[in-house]
Amino acid sequence: MASATVRNVPLLDDDTIPFGEEDEMRDPSRAGEKYTHPYVTFFHLFFRGAAIVIYMFCGWFSDSFITSFVFVVLFLSADFWTVKNISGRLLVGLRWWNYVDDDGVSHWVFESKNSRINKHEQRIFWLGLILCPVFWGLFFLMALFGLKFKWLLLVMIAIALNAANLYGYIKCNYGAGKDLNSAATDFVKTQLFKNAMDIMTKPSTAQPPTNVRPTGIV
């Protein structure tokens, strides 16, 4: 496992498939399909989309703030766990996590791997990761100016969970040592360039061999 090669980072207890070896477990029958992880792609969008839909239309079905709060938080929690532990690893080859060493010091690990990444799944992953915090940001402004302070708390929880995954994966993609503002700017430039190239050229079928590349530890 690659993370064990950097500053003796410990293995994750739930790391049943070593990071960087997911391609070896891939079903060969899905090699020519548009989506190699269709269920993962679906749930990457389902939980976060469901949380937004419930927040917007919960008043149609129940007048109870507690019921709406619980359901939204449940879907937000499921989304956070799914994106952090499953979809980021399988769809874009990125992972971030935390461990505490023997001295009680907390370390954040940001990893990326060079492997066969499906471009369609990659585009959906980043689109969902970026757009949902934008929606929650709009809900924050609406709740703030509408003086709906109890809903403001729920929106802040949603922003915190969505922003944590967005921050972690940007750090994975561009390195743990880079400033977030610089990384975000580079990310936007890269995505615009990729979209322009996709329009002008066909996607290449050649893929680099699997090679794990830890980007750093904080």
Side-chain angles (χ1 to χ4, degrees):
M1 181 178 174
S3 60
T5 63
V6 181
R7 297 189 186 180
N8 297 322
V9 178
L11 296 174
L12 290 177
D13 293 336
D14 61 348
D15 207 10
T16 54
I17 301 176
F19 182 65
E21 299 181 11
E22 294 86 356
D23 290 339
E24 300 178 6
M25 308 297 294
R26 183 176 297 177
D27 186 357
S29 64
R30 292 189 175 274
E33 295 184 5
K34 184 176 182 179
Y35 297 100
T36 52
H37 305 93
Y39 297 109
V40 176
T41 304
F42 170 77
F43 282 106
H44 173 72
L45 298 176
F46 173 74
F47 289 124
R48 54 183 44 216
I52 292 176
V53 171
I54 292 174
Y55 176 84
M56 293 176 62
F57 301 107
C58 60
W60 290 11
F61 305 100
S62 174
D63 294 329
S64 173
F65 170 76
I66 299 299
T67 301
S68 302
F69 186 95
V70 169
F71 273 99
V72 173
V73 170
L74 283 176
F75 277 102
L76 288 172
S77 301
D79 167 70
F80 178 82
W81 186 90
T82 301
V83 174
K84 180 181 180 296
N85 296 297
I86 299 179
S87 63
R89 177 174 177 171
L90 295 179
L91 301 185
V92 292
L94 303 175
R95 181 175 68 166
W96 64 274
W97 50 286
N98 171 269
Y99 77 96
V100 180
D101 60 22
D102 295 336
D103 297 326
V105 179
S106 179
H107 298 273
W108 292 94
V109 183
F110 303 91
E111 297 175 303
S112 67
K113 64 184 178 71
N114 295 323
S115 62
R116 292 172 292 177
I117 302 298
N118 184 296
K119 288 189 176 182
H120 299 288
E121 294 178 343
Q122 184 184 47
R123 186 177 294 109
I124 290 176
F125 175 85
W126 288 111
L127 189 65
L129 200 68
I130 295 172
L131 286 183
C132 288
V134 173
F135 278 104
W136 287 113
L138 294 176
F139 295 152
F140 176 85
L141 294 177
M142 294 171 62
L144 179 64
F145 290 110
L147 302 179
K148 299 178 180 179
F149 297 110
K150 61 180 182 180
W151 292 103
L152 195 62
L153 174 62
L154 179 57
V155 173
M156 291 174 65
I157 294 174
I159 291 176
L161 293 176
N162 279 261
N165 268 324
L166 179 60
Y167 175 86
Y169 283 118
I170 288 179
K171 296 281 280 187
C172 289
N173 203 35
Y174 290 97
K178 178 172 285 191
D179 177 71
L180 181 60
N181 291 331
S182 177
T185 302
D186 290 345
F187 172 77
V188 172
K189 291 179 180 179
T190 302
Q191 293 302 312
L192 291 176
F193 177 77
K194 285 182 179 180
N195 290 335
M197 292 300 296
D198 287 342
I199 294 174
M200 293 185 294
T201 63
K202 294 182 178 180
S204 174
T205 57
Q207 301 291 342
T210 302
N211 178 25
V212 178
R213 177 176 57 85
T215 57
I217 301 178
V218 179

